[in-house]
Amino acid sequence: MTRSAMWLVSLSLLSTGAMAQSKKPLDHSVYDSWQNIGVKLVSPDGRWAAYTVTPQEGDAVLYIRNLQSGKQTAFERGTTPVITEDSRYIAFTIKAPFKETRQARIKKAKPDDMPKDSMAFLELESGKMLIRTAKVKSFKTPEKGSGILAYLVEPAKDTTKKAPAKTPAKADDDSFTDADDDAPGKGGVSTTGDLVIVQTGKTLAFDTIRHVAGYTLSKPGNTISVTIQPAKKDSLAKPGVLLWYTAKREGKLISAGEGKFAQFAFDERGEQLAWAVSRDSAKAPVAIYSLAWYGPGMDSARLAVTAKSSGMRDKWSVSENGNIVFSRNGQRIFFGSAPIPKAKDTTIVDFEVAKVDVWHYLDDYLQPMQLKNLDKDLKRSYTAVFLTADNRMVQLSDDSMENFQYADEGNAEYGLGTSDSHSRVALQWTGKTNKNAWMVHIPSGRRMSVKQDLNGQIALSPSGKYIIWFDNMSGQYSTYDFLTGSTRIISAGISVKLTDEENDVPDFPSPYGTSGWMENDKYVYINDRYDIWQVDPSGKEPAFMITQGAGRAKKTVLRNVKLNPEERFYTAKQTLLLESQSDSSKYGGFWTLRLSDKAAPRQLVSGPWMYTAPLKAKNASMILYQRSSFQESPDVFAGEELATAKRISQLNPQQKDYNWGTAELFKWKTFNGQETEGIVYKPEDFDPSQKYPVLIYFYEKLTDGLYSYQAPAPTPSRLNITFFVSRGYVVLAPDIRYETGHPGKSAYDYIVSGAEALAKNPWIDRANMAIQGQSWGGYQVCHLITATPLFKAAWSGAPVANMTSAYGGIRWESGMNRQFQYEHTQSRIGATLWEKPELYIENSPLFHLPKVTTPLVIMHNDGDGAVPWYQGIEMFTGLRRLGKPVWMLNYNGDAHNLMQRQNRKDIQVRQQQFFDHYLKGAPAPKWLAKGVPATDKGRDWGFDIEQ
């Protein structure tokens, strides 16, 4: 069987008693074309929207819409749109066609021969295509300025031949102009390009700079830093750093000569520039970096900080990996410094030396975690600051206080330093570390202890007047006042819990968090389960609930939405937008709250939908958001008023041709008398006079997703609910609450009681019920089949089978030990293996396998970075030894959740064949009946039906 045809094999596996449908059921051929919204934008003036519609596989489409007239234009393969700050233009990438790229990959084309992306620049009002240029590496527009577009194109291949600067042709029609059409000669791949700078005005003005290795735009767009790296044979071009002035349309070489450059940064005004530079030759064993700085009045850039500067630690230097940032007032340059790396010993012969990891019991981190973080650790830097007025540097953090935060965009006098170095060994069994915290005086680097051994979270206020922390042990928020040096608990007057009211793990409940700060650090806003409190960080005023109890009264969670990405704090007269979700109905919605009114919030919209990703125009009242339900795709809505916003996108019109489904809440009592609920999904053509097979999918709590749209997609190994519902299954997704020490029994109480309650309906085929779960859900599947014969089939993805062996294992994706999971988090044992071994055995399916009567498929991959795949092997080999029907799928090299799309498609076919066989009586495919021997691997996938 060919690989391209195998997905269609199972389409004929319909139940022999399936009723005729007016709409066709979903099949495995539909996945690639199903669409979602990729990127959406609204222009600052609120007149224009842009959004991309992306299929699961294939070419995206960019839509540009006039929100006043409703006129909309589509651009095939358009992606990554950027609307300029003046709302006049849009730039976007035109991706190479998917089919061409795919064919080039099949032919293993070299990078230089791969299909290239292009760039388009469009005037919004006229719809005129001003520029359309091929082979664009990147493009940028200023964050806070307008009138400038800069883009980098691939250079002429033969850089030894002199060619005139190319001015890109204007595209008055929709013709395609290639900036490299006149490139002379042929040559090798270049790491540089040609930077084209476009000035927009009454007419377009173009400037081109050759041999560009990198470029950075200032926020206002008045200056551009350009790194020049000409070919060595080009004696006329000068290497170095060029500063381009956009108003003058001229450049100035501010640093001449070869070098290595990194981390270019402008100040807010675009008048100062800083970067890391090394002038060491390519043959030097180690490149030592310095901080270069250029400012107004300077003839050229100078080295502000070197390895020999006063304040630099011995054998340290500026790090090329540390971010460089100017303070808002431009008087400080924050940068990274680090120990100078050791030179590699070139005398060592690789094949003659041992390769060994040395594990030591006093190591901060286990060796797997050290190796996982090796690259990050090799690039680690510590915050330092250069004070421009004083012409000196100050080291702010180091290996005794690794983390540093500044406030007020770098202007504040004090910062916050933290370290967890004293508690890292305990990470192995706690899953987190406690923190020590210091106030740090930025001009001197002086530190003063503020909080020791904090089990919680800590941060700076936006203006830098306070340090605020949440203490997990007390469940309270506290502040440290920089002005007075006093510490106080600020949340004690709040009458409700500020931590998870439904916590069911053996650890301190997590806080609901904060919603922001008032300007000048006057108030901090703290969430409870439903509402938001205004709290005085100085402790002088009593806490005030700004939502007036509306959330708790309606059992509706209210949370602030940050509409301005640059917002650092609230203003006194600001109107907040709150997103909401009802605990009982699961309805989504939006509310509004004017801070100065001190009145209850007002509901704007609410209904049986999920509202997501609101986006407001910077200088207008226009808002975009997405709305969806199980039946409706997450389309884009736009309007000046949320309640009257109109749909502007039309995703997945093909859905109307398929038998879809419905989603509704289902409530019952568990075996231990608890009220609970789940979601019941039914086919769109549901007929209560018929009997339906049932699939039960679970994890922990899923009912908040009642109105989530679930596209028919090859999933990472979860149940493809929409697909199975379309093909005549009823699906139950129950919520589960857990008792510490007995997670398996808890799963049984909730899942089996839910199955029994659902089976009381006459339209449920009680004899044909099955279960499916992934990861924690996969564990619960394995436990349930040892506890009940109720289910006719079971599918488990990446399960823990044996808690006694998994307890000491490694999460290879992070390098962390797994002990913390059992003692404090998801596995919920709440004790060490030595304290309560009986609980580990009680909750380990492996010890109860003789009770299993249910056929089981296990998916566990050898690249799993969360649950070691030997857990799946233990489950499989145990059941195999006992003669139980069991299969195991190992997608070679793939992860805990399948990442490779071809594997996702494969598992969807196998899941359908498995459940159709056991619950609908469909014939067994070869892989299920006889298996697929290693000699047939890659030749026969076993999808064919055995004759």
Side-chain angles (χ1 to χ4, degrees):
M1 179 186 299
T2 64
R3 183 69 169 170
S4 60
M6 69 182 183
W7 308 114
L8 304 179
V9 171
S10 65
L11 305 187
S12 63
L13 301 180
L14 297 173
S15 170
T16 54
M19 58 185 175
Q21 296 175 330
S22 57
K23 295 183 178 182
K24 56 188 176 182
L26 292 166
D27 60 57
H28 301 298
S29 69
V30 307
Y31 301 141
D32 291 351
S33 62
W34 226 268
Q35 302 164 331
N36 201 354
I37 297 295
V39 176
K40 69 177 186 294
L41 302 173
V42 61
S43 62
D45 65 3
R47 295 183 59 214
W48 303 92
Y51 61 92
T52 58
V53 174
T54 59
Q56 292 182 28
E57 192 169 282
D59 295 316
V61 178
L62 170 66
Y63 292 91
I64 301 173
R65 185 182 184 92
N66 185 317
L67 293 173
Q68 294 177 337
S69 68
K71 182 181 178 180
Q72 185 163 277
T73 307
F75 293 89
E76 295 293 328
R77 308 193 316 279
T79 61
T80 62
V82 175
I83 297 176
T84 57
E85 187 74 9
D86 57 8
S87 302
R88 292 180 59 193
Y89 306 97
I90 185 171
F92 54 92
T93 300
I94 302 173
K95 297 290 289 183
F98 174 82
K99 289 183 179 179
E100 291 183 13
T101 302
R102 179 176 179 272
Q103 284 301 314
R105 291 179 62 191
I106 291 172
K107 294 177 180 178
K108 298 181 179 180
K110 296 178 180 179
D112 197 38
D113 297 327
M114 292 291 290
K116 304 298 182 182
D117 297 341
S118 307
M119 186 210 69
F121 190 61
L122 185 80
E123 186 177 54
L124 289 167
E125 189 65 46
S126 66
K128 187 177 182 180
M129 182 72 74
L130 302 176
I131 304 170
R132 192 170 177 183
T133 303
K135 299 180 182 179
V136 172
K137 292 184 172 185
S138 65
F139 68 85
K140 300 176 184 178
T141 62
E143 287 182 37
K144 296 182 179 180
S146 58
I148 298 295
L149 168 71
Y151 60 93
L152 191 66
V153 296
E154 291 189 8
K157 292 183 179 181
D158 187 355
T159 57
T160 63
K161 295 184 179 181
K162 197 63 181 169
K166 169 80 175 194
T167 298
K170 299 179 184 180
D172 291 327
D173 54 16
D174 200 33
S175 62
F176 193 95
T177 61
D178 189 332
D180 292 331
D181 281 347
D182 63 350
K186 294 182 179 180
V189 178
S190 174
T191 57
T192 64
D194 295 340
L195 181 67
V196 180
I197 301 167
V198 184
Q199 305 252 24
T200 62
K202 291 183 180 179
T203 60
L204 295 184
F206 296 87
D207 296 287
T208 301
I209 304 171
R210 298 292 194 193
H211 313 301
V212 174
Y215 65 108
T216 302
L217 273 65
S218 65
K219 288 184 179 180
N222 56 331
T223 46
I224 304 174
S225 72
V226 185
T227 307
I228 308 294
Q229 274 187 347
K232 292 183 178 181
K233 295 181 180 180
D234 191 339
S235 59
L236 298 179
K238 295 181 179 180
V241 176
L242 179 80
L243 191 61
W244 182 267
Y245 296 93
T246 56
K248 299 178 182 178
R249 295 181 62 192
E250 64 181 27
K252 176 182 180 181
L253 192 67
I254 60 173
S255 180
E258 297 281 354
K260 297 177 181 178
F261 309 99
Q263 306 294 339
F264 284 85
F266 281 102
D267 68 349
E268 286 290 313
R269 296 181 178 181
E271 296 174 348
Q272 299 184 79
L273 177 67
W275 67 95
V277 57
S278 171
R279 296 295 186 184
D280 295 316
S281 71
K283 295 181 180 180
V286 174
I288 299 177
Y289 282 80
S290 300
L291 178 70
W293 169 44
Y294 178 82
M298 295 184 182
D299 290 332
S300 60
R302 69 180 183 84
L303 297 183
V305 179
T306 71
K308 297 180 180 180
S309 292
S310 175
M312 182 66 74
R313 302 289 172 89
D314 184 37
K315 298 181 181 179
W316 282 40
S317 70
V318 173
S319 171
E320 75 273 28
N321 300 304
N323 289 335
I324 296 177
V325 180
F326 279 88
S327 59
R328 188 177 72 254
N329 61 17
Q331 296 174 11
R332 298 170 176 170
I333 307 174
F334 294 93
F335 63 96
S337 63
I340 296 171
K342 296 177 181 178
K344 186 176 180 180
D345 188 347
T346 57
T347 65
I348 294 177
V349 180
D350 185 67
F351 63 83
E352 291 183 347
V353 296
K355 292 178 175 63
V356 59
D357 301 328
V358 179
W359 297 42
H360 194 284
Y361 74 104
L362 294 179
D363 283 347
D364 279 357
Y365 302 110
L366 290 172
Q367 277 286 320
M369 195 169 183
Q370 293 183 45
L371 293 170
K372 192 70 181 179
N373 295 328
L374 181 61
D375 183 66
K376 182 178 72 174
D377 288 340
L378 289 173
K379 294 178 179 178
R380 181 183 299 278
S381 66
Y382 302 95
T383 305
V385 64
F386 176 71
L387 307 174
T388 59
D390 297 340
N391 193 32
R392 64 185 177 89
M393 74 157 283
V394 179
Q395 189 67 45
L396 299 174
S397 69
D398 54 31
D399 53 3
S400 67
M401 189 194 76
E402 309 85 6
N403 307 303
F404 177 81
Q405 301 174 36
Y406 52 74
D408 197 22
E409 297 180 271
N411 284 0
E413 189 79 356
Y414 291 92
L416 169 64
T418 59
S419 176
D420 63 357
S421 60
H422 67 293
S423 67
R424 290 172 184 161
V425 174
L427 178 72
Q428 176 173 327
W429 54 88
T430 62
K432 54 181 177 285
T433 55
N434 290 0
K435 300 173 182 66
N436 293 334
W438 296 264
M439 60 177 286
V440 181
H441 184 241
I442 293 175
S444 67
R446 187 180 70 252
R447 305 174 188 176
M448 189 182 83
S449 177
V450 170
K451 181 67 177 174
Q452 295 293 302
D453 208 32
L454 172 66
N455 183 339
Q457 301 86 45
I458 191 165
L460 268 175
S461 60
S463 296
K465 293 184 177 181
Y466 300 95
I467 295 173
I468 184 171
W469 63 85
F470 180 82
D471 189 322
N472 288 324
M473 300 179 72
S474 67
Q476 298 290 342
Y477 287 89
S478 297
T479 57
Y480 174 84
D481 188 328
F482 281 116
L483 182 63
T484 66
S486 58
T487 299
R488 59 181 58 86
I489 296 174
I490 62 171
S491 57
I494 296 177
S495 57
V496 296
K497 288 181 64 175
L498 300 176
T499 56
D500 186 358
E501 295 181 10
E502 296 186 318
N503 179 60
D504 63 354
V505 298
D507 203 354
F508 297 111
S510 300
Y512 291 109
T514 59
S515 288
W517 288 74
M518 177 61 72
E519 61 184 328
N520 204 31
D521 294 347
K522 186 175 182 180
Y523 301 113
V524 61
Y525 294 86
I526 297 176
N527 302 324
D528 69 24
R529 181 176 179 180
Y530 298 108
D531 291 293
I532 305 173
W533 295 76
Q534 177 178 283
V535 180
D536 179 2
S538 73
K540 297 176 182 178
E541 297 181 25
F544 170 69
M545 187 191 292
I546 62 172
T547 50
Q548 300 285 315
R552 192 166 292 271
K554 294 182 177 294
K555 295 291 186 287
T556 296
V557 177
L558 300 175
R559 293 292 181 261
N560 177 54
V561 178
K562 187 176 180 179
L563 292 173
N564 180 359
E566 296 180 5
E567 178 184 272
R568 296 190 298 121
F569 43 72
Y570 304 153
T571 57
K573 295 182 179 180
Q574 186 169 344
T575 298
L576 303 183
L577 179 68
L578 307 178
E579 59 185 359
S580 67
Q581 184 176 43
S582 166
D583 268 4
S584 55
S585 68
K586 309 302 179 185
Y587 281 12
F590 291 112
W591 298 51
T592 185
L593 172 66
R594 188 173 177 82
L595 288 173
S596 60
D597 291 347
K598 292 193 174 181
R602 178 171 57 89
Q603 188 177 77
L604 299 175
V605 292
S606 179
W609 294 284
M610 180 172 284
Y611 295 86
T612 56
L615 179 68
K616 181 183 176 298
K618 184 176 181 179
N619 304 318
S621 57
M622 181 65 67
I623 287 185
L624 272 60
Y625 64 87
Q626 287 173 249
R627 193 189 81 178
S628 63
S629 70
F630 184 70
Q631 289 84 14
E632 294 183 20
S633 293
D635 274 309
V636 179
F637 286 69
E640 294 186 346
E641 299 289 338
L642 283 164
T644 57
K646 303 296 183 184
R647 189 193 309 265
I648 65 171
S649 67
Q650 295 290 336
L651 295 179
N652 302 313
Q654 74 276 22
Q655 181 178 315
K656 68 181 184 305
D657 300 326
Y658 292 94
N659 186 44
W660 200 250
T662 61
E664 61 192 63
L665 283 178
F666 175 65
K667 299 178 183 291
W668 72 94
K669 276 191 175 182
T670 67
F671 294 142
N672 60 7
Q674 299 295 314
E675 297 282 349
T676 192
E677 60 188 0
I679 305 172
V680 170
Y681 300 91
K682 299 175 184 175
E684 182 181 345
D685 61 356
F686 176 76
D687 181 351
S689 68
Q690 301 292 321
K691 282 191 176 291
Y692 292 86
V694 176
L695 296 175
I696 305 176
Y697 171 75
F698 38 81
Y699 191 75
E700 292 184 340
K701 295 178 182 177
L702 299 172
T703 54
D704 282 350
L706 176 65
Y707 295 111
S708 293
Y709 184 75
Q710 299 191 37
T715 73
S717 49
R718 295 178 286 105
L719 188 71
N720 191 341
I721 291 175
T722 308
F723 176 86
F724 282 102
V725 169
S726 175
R727 301 185 73 85
Y729 287 87
V730 167
V731 175
L732 170 65
D735 280 354
I736 308 165
R737 286 184 59 82
Y738 299 90
E739 177 188 354
T740 297
H742 306 283
K745 180 179 180 296
S746 301
Y748 177 90
D749 285 345
Y750 281 78
I751 297 167
V752 178
S753 67
E756 295 280 8
L758 186 65
K760 292 178 181 178
N761 292 289
W763 35 269
I764 292 298
D765 184 355
R766 180 187 174 89
N768 287 293
M769 305 175 77
I771 50 178
Q772 198 273 344
Q774 165 67 16
S775 190
W776 179 240
Y779 156 72
Q780 293 171 99
V781 167
C782 290
H783 176 84
L784 287 173
I785 63 174
T786 70
T788 177
L790 176 63
F791 304 111
K792 198 171 181 182
W795 187 291
S796 172
V800 166
N802 181 359
M803 288 191 178
T804 67
S805 59
Y807 175 76
I810 297 292
R811 294 177 63 95
W812 294 106
E813 191 170 73
S814 65
M816 288 183 66
N817 181 255
R818 296 176 51 83
Q819 292 177 3
F820 74 94
Q821 295 178 236
Y822 300 90
E823 297 176 37
H824 293 286
T825 62
Q826 189 174 62
S827 298
R828 296 175 169 89
I829 299 300
T832 71
L833 178 61
W834 307 282
E835 291 168 335
K836 294 189 177 180
E838 70 280 3
L839 293 181
Y840 285 82
I841 293 173
E842 172 193 319
N843 291 284
S844 295
L846 185 74
F847 295 101
H848 313 288
L849 294 187
K851 301 175 185 177
V852 173
T853 60
T854 305
L856 173 70
V857 172
I858 303 163
M859 182 217 75
H860 215 149
N861 307 317
D862 52 20
D864 193 321
V867 179
W869 81 301
Y870 60 71
Q871 288 293 312
I873 294 172
E874 286 190 46
M875 190 76 185
F876 175 82
T877 56
L879 287 171
R880 182 174 185 264
R881 166 72 184 270
L882 294 167
K884 312 286 186 177
V886 62
W887 300 259
M888 181 167 162
L889 305 174
N890 168 26
Y891 290 93
N892 304 158
D894 216 330
H896 181 66
N897 296 296
L898 292 173
M899 301 302 294
Q900 298 180 40
R901 188 169 176 83
Q902 65 269 30
N903 293 339
R904 293 183 177 191
K905 288 184 174 183
D906 182 279
I907 203 171
Q908 298 305 297
V909 175
R910 297 187 195 278
Q911 278 192 4
Q912 183 199 348
Q913 290 184 327
F914 177 70
F915 288 127
D916 279 0
H917 172 65
Y918 279 102
L919 303 189
K920 289 186 172 184
K926 179 182 176 182
W927 73 269
L928 203 57
K930 294 184 177 180
V932 179
T935 52
D936 287 342
K937 182 178 177 179
R939 298 180 177 87
D940 183 357
W941 281 264
F943 290 145
D944 291 322
I945 306 302
E946 285 293 293
Q947 300 298 323

